[in-house]
Amino acid sequence: MSEPSRVPYQQIHQAGRPGRWRPAVGIVALVVTEVLVVPTVLLVAFMVGFLIRGGDLQSQLNSLVDTADPTPAGLAYLNLALAAAIPVTWLLIRVVHGLKPRWLASVRPRIRWAWFAACFGVAIVALFATLIVSAALPAQDTGDVGGRLNDFTSTTRDFALVVLLLTPLQAAGEEYAFRGYLTQAFGGLFRQRWVAVVAPALLFALAHGAQDAPIFFDRFAFGIVAGVLAITTGGLEAGIAMHVLNNWLAFGLALAYGDMASTLNPSGGTWWSIPVTLTQSLVYLGLALVVARRMGLRTTADPAVLEGSGRRV
């Protein structure tokens, strides 16, 4: 089969059950489930745990959603709520589109682990490039990160365990939602590559709540780069790798030198951070594309295999 007849990542939904209304229904279902259903279910699960442990139930429940004074349990609650996007998107692509969930991961269809590992290496190189540019520019806003190492306490240990174990799931959950399901949904609705990249990136930035222009630009730029990589490499591995490394770095610095509240609630940024953001994004994008080409990465799906994976009705 010739390459032009193959299915690009953002058009995968079209090989499932027919109906232009399906992506729209899926988008609404994803938002409602992640905003209302998942937080409620998790809140009940944590409440049961608090009842078993004992103590003031109301204060413990309040601490789960208090990002101004976060606790390890609160960070775990937030990470699990975002990580839940993985099974939610799996359910949506199966029920709404009649396709196997693995088609969200990549065009293989699965996580391509060798490519994923290579992306981590590329992300580290991009990070070093960012540090070089950052050192040459006026000071950027770093929240409350200082030069003195924080004391290591039991709370620090608990935060570190949550960050180490749940941050990868949180980052993957966001990628499955925005660069996975939403990219394919907007790709199916509008049939334009740029819409499939820009719309999820815009929603990704807006989903982080109130923020000033430099911080919004930083998140929007990340979404654009991750979206371009999802389409041009045919999967989520590149976006997940960069997302995990960025979040590990941000939370690690907060635990070592700053505080978790300022990281979860950035008060503002500076436009001097934009060259730094662009350096990381563009270096990562360029190197990832070069490595993908050298690895001979498959970037489109075989329509025969794709259509055979689901039930058409």
Side-chain angles (χ1 to χ4, degrees), residues 1 10 20 44 65 67 72 81 106 120 145 154 161 163 192-193 237 241 245 259 285 290-291 307 310 313:
M1 184 172 296
Q10 75 276 12
R20 293 290 293 275
V44 172
V65 294
T67 57
S106 77
F120 260 106
V145 175
S154 59
L161 288 174
V163 169
Q192 298 290 330
R193 284 164 58 104
E237 298 92 345
L245 185 64
D259 67 274
L285 176 62
V290 170
V291 173
E307 293 180 13
V313 295

Side-chain angles (χ1 to χ4, degrees), residues 212-236:
D212 66 5
I215 293 177
F216 178 87
F217 180 88
D218 178 81
R219 288 162 174 164
F220 180 68
F222 176 92
I224 290 291
V225 170
V228 169
L229 285 170
I231 288 177
T232 56
T233 67
L236 300 179

